[in-house]
Amino acid sequence: MGDKLHLVRVREGYENYYSYIPPNLIYLLADRANLAVSAVWRGTICGTAVAERFEDVIELRSIFVDPGFRNIGLGEYILRGLINTAREEGVIGVTAHYTEKSFPKHRSLLQRAGMSEAEPSAGGYMISLGDIPPIEKIKIPFDSCSLADIPQDLMENYRRMCSRGELPDYVNVLKYRNPLKNLSYLVSDGKKIAGVLIAEKNPAGLRLAGLYSPKEYQGRGPSILLLSLALTEAQKQYPKDTVVTIDAISKGAIKLCEKLLPRKSLIFRGTEFFCYLKM
């Protein structure tokens, strides 16, 4: 390829490229389903993008351009190269998540590469389990169970609703890398699902990552019941200094957190933003 700018598919063992990948993401190269591409010009690595694959969708985990090659469109070149490589390998969608602080620096790049306008995907609070007082058992007339011991017929209904898009992706347990099924709950009204909460492990401790109740049940108690069940079980299983992150992007979810949890111990967490591209 000579002096021409070109892309290289980075794989495990390509150690010359590792300095352009965050150390905590290098492990992704061990799985050949994940994607990493680097731009190279005259033998010099100019930048790298890394994505993790989940079935037929990839999530952009990192994109870095060498300071000496910035402001010439190289970031877009690398990102488009990653997207094209993913398309060739059967991927049908690309997602990207950014914090409120980091998103403005990447907004233009993502949109030039064809990604959607950003949507808020997660905001909310952080609190230590030890700062949460014992939660009284909430008397709301819905059946409840964890996803670790869900009845078969209810599980089949839950899976059908997820596959049909009747439940949002953020309460589909299959979309999570490290779900905690014993802390993830579903409440039902007979055979109808009235609400779902998904919990997962994260670097800070625990994350209550998805809380959803269909419109017909909103305001009738499923959300507060789900949150109380998850927090009560977490208090039984984890040390008091465990940090819990609770996603809450709607006004209703924020009010719920502030009602159930002591405000003086809540640490507000900035909104995260989500972009996507359908192939």
Side-chain angles (χ1 to χ4, degrees):
M1 295 185 183
D3 293 341
K4 291 183 179 180
L5 179 67
H6 62 280
L7 288 170
V8 172
R9 174 74 180 273
V10 181
R11 301 189 186 277
E12 186 177 31
Y14 289 31
E15 296 185 2
N16 290 346
Y17 296 84
Y18 284 7
S19 60
Y20 289 80
I21 300 173
N24 64 318
L25 296 182
I26 290 175
Y27 80 95
L28 292 174
L29 301 180
D31 185 343
R32 295 178 73 87
N34 298 324
L35 300 175
V37 298
S38 289
V40 179
W41 183 66
R42 293 185 176 180
T44 300
I45 304 166
C46 308
T48 300
V50 182
E52 187 170 5
R53 183 162 182 169
F54 301 94
E55 298 181 357
D56 53 4
V57 175
I58 60 168
E59 179 180 342
L60 179 65
R61 299 295 303 279
S62 171
I63 183 164
F64 176 81
V65 176
D66 188 284
F69 294 91
R70 290 177 183 170
N71 302 314
I72 58 173
L74 194 59
E76 181 182 353
Y77 172 79
I78 295 170
L79 183 52
R80 285 188 178 276
L82 180 77
I83 291 169
N84 289 336
T85 301
R87 184 181 287 112
E88 291 170 0
E89 297 190 9
V91 169
I92 63 172
V94 183
T95 65
H97 290 82
Y98 284 90
T99 64
E100 192 170 21
K101 182 178 180 180
S102 65
F103 176 67
K105 293 184 259 184
H106 296 87
R107 181 173 190 166
S108 177
L109 166 63
L110 294 169
Q111 291 182 352
R112 290 198 310 272
M115 304 287 283
S116 70
E117 283 283 353
E119 301 173 1
S121 65
Y125 295 97
M126 297 172 66
I127 189 169
S128 294
L129 282 177
D131 290 331
I132 303 173
I135 300 171
E136 293 184 13
K137 189 172 183 179
I138 295 175
K139 297 179 181 179
I140 293 176
F142 290 109
D143 295 324
S144 63
C145 60
S146 75
L147 292 188
D149 57 13
I150 183 172
Q152 184 63 32
D153 59 341
L154 200 56
M155 174 58 87
E156 290 175 0
N157 188 25
Y158 167 67
R159 287 174 174 166
R160 280 196 299 270
M161 291 181 71
C162 287
S163 64
R164 293 172 182 169
E166 296 170 13
L167 293 174
D169 277 351
Y170 60 81
V171 291
N172 184 348
V173 71
L174 298 178
K175 299 292 184 179
Y176 289 87
R177 289 190 287 271
N178 299 299
L180 296 168
K181 291 186 177 180
N182 57 338
L183 296 183
S184 299
Y185 283 86
L186 184 150
V187 296
S188 60
D189 180 12
K191 293 184 178 181
K192 298 179 71 175
I193 291 176
V196 185
L197 182 148
I198 303 297
E200 69 168 350
K201 290 182 180 179
N202 75 350
L206 305 176
R207 179 186 177 205
L208 303 188
L211 174 61
Y212 176 78
S213 179
K215 276 191 176 181
E216 63 185 292
Y217 293 104
Q218 291 176 11
R220 295 173 55 186
S223 294
I224 195 167
L225 176 58
L226 287 163
L227 190 56
S228 65
L229 288 168
L231 290 174
T232 299
E233 190 61 29
Q235 288 177 318
K236 294 178 184 177
Q237 297 187 30
Y238 291 88
K240 290 183 177 181
D241 60 355
T242 301
V243 174
V244 181
T245 302
I246 304 170
D247 287 1
I249 59 174
S250 69
K251 289 182 180 179
I254 289 172
K255 285 182 180 179
L256 176 62
C257 289
E258 293 178 345
K259 178 180 179 180
L260 192 63
L261 304 170
R263 293 193 185 193
K264 65 180 181 179
S265 299
L266 287 172
I267 301 171
F268 184 73
R269 184 169 57 89
T271 302
E272 293 179 1
F273 289 92
F274 168 77
C275 299
Y276 64 91
L277 170 66
K278 289 184 179 179
M279 303 293 202

